């Protein structure tokens, strides 16, 4: 019964992705609310902040991407009506929500960093430095969805992780600004224009 529930949940998530303005292209996901493309966490999972920084350099495998800011991760939720509570950046957290598919849809789109029989987690570092004495750490965003045969409970919050440390369940949130894609109507108008110009040129050659 549990596996049937997970299958239904997965198919339901696929159907909900577009309604949440998330477009999953496989290797990355476009958030249409912010026009940011989010790299799938499989590319950075298990790597420290410093290791990923090295991969962002010119000519490296992740060139063209950058670390998402603390606020950009937070905006994924606030732009969809979710609020964060807390007295500081470190304690900011959404209330736990019940039977809300957005959180688990987002986890599936960006790639879970830890999957258990009754939950999925997504943990990703951001570009925001955590300042505390001489500690070299970054804030990370964390999403967890716990599910059983009756309901789903989810939340998102923040914590910190040392720049040089890594773990199998840690990834990085990397983004880039989406390249505008012409609307279908614009493409059709452009093609009609090219056909018209081509015909005029052919008629001129016949004279």
């Amino acid at each position: 019964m549990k596996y049937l529930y997970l299958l239904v949940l997965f198919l339901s998530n696929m159907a909900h992705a577009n309604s949440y303005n998330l477009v999953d292209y496989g290797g990355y996901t476009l958030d249409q609310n912010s026009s940011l493309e989010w790299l799938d966490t499989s590319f950075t999972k298990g790597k420290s902040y410093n290791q990923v920084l090295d991969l962002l350099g010119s000519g490296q495998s992740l060139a063209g991407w950058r670390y998402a800011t603390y606020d950009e991760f937070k905006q994924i939720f606030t732009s969809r009506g979710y609020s964060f509570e807390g007295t500081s950046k470190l304690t900011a957290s959404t209330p736990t929500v019940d039977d809300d598919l957005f959180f688990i849809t987002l986890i599936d789109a960006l790639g879970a960093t830890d999957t258990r029989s009754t939950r999925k987690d997504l943990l990703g570092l951001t570009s925001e430095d955590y300042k505390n004495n001489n500690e070299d750490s970054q804030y990370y965003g964390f999403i967890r969805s716990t599910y059983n045969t009756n309901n789903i409970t989810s939340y998102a919050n923040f914590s910190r992780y040392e720049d040089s440390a890594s773990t199998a369940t840690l990834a990085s949130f990397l983004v880039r600004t989406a390249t505008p894609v012409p609307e279908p109507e614009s493409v059709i108008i452009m093609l009609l224009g090219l056909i018209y110009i081509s015909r005029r040129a052919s008629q001129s050659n016949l004279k």
Side-chain angles (χ1 to χ4, degrees), residues 18-84:
N18 283 340
S19 66
Y20 294 129
N21 289 336
L22 297 174
V23 183
D24 189 350
Y25 289 99
Y28 64 91
T29 296
L30 171 63
D31 178 3
Q32 294 178 315
N33 285 12
S34 64
S35 295
L36 286 177
E37 294 172 345
W38 294 74
L39 186 66
D40 191 281
T41 56
S42 62
F43 291 92
T44 58
K45 185 178 176 182
K47 296 180 175 63
S48 71
Y49 175 78
N50 289 338
Q51 287 173 322
V52 173
L53 273 184
D54 290 339
L55 298 177
L56 299 178
S58 177
Q60 300 301 310
S61 60
L62 298 180
W65 296 89
R66 63 170 175 83
Y67 263 99
T69 66
Y70 177 103
D71 288 333
E72 285 169 338
F73 174 81
K74 193 174 179 180
Q75 187 183 22
I76 294 176
F77 301 91
T78 57
S79 69
R80 292 169 171 83
Y82 301 97
S83 61
F84 278 79

Side-chain angles (χ1 to χ4, degrees), residues 88-106:
S88 70
K89 284 187 173 182
L90 194 61
T91 60
S93 178
T94 65
T96 300
V97 294
D98 294 318
D99 295 326
D100 189 324
L101 290 176
F102 171 68
F103 289 75
I104 198 165
T105 298
L106 181 63

Side-chain angles (χ1 to χ4, degrees), residues 21 30 37 39 65 89 101 118 121 144 147 157 162 173 175 192-193 206-207:
N21 289 336
L30 171 63
E37 294 172 345
L39 186 66
W65 296 89
K89 284 187 173 182
L101 290 176
T118 58
D121 294 343
R144 170 168 288 177
Y147 40 81
N157 63 10
E162 291 184 13
F173 288 127
V175 296
L192 289 175
L206 292 174
K207 292 179 180 179

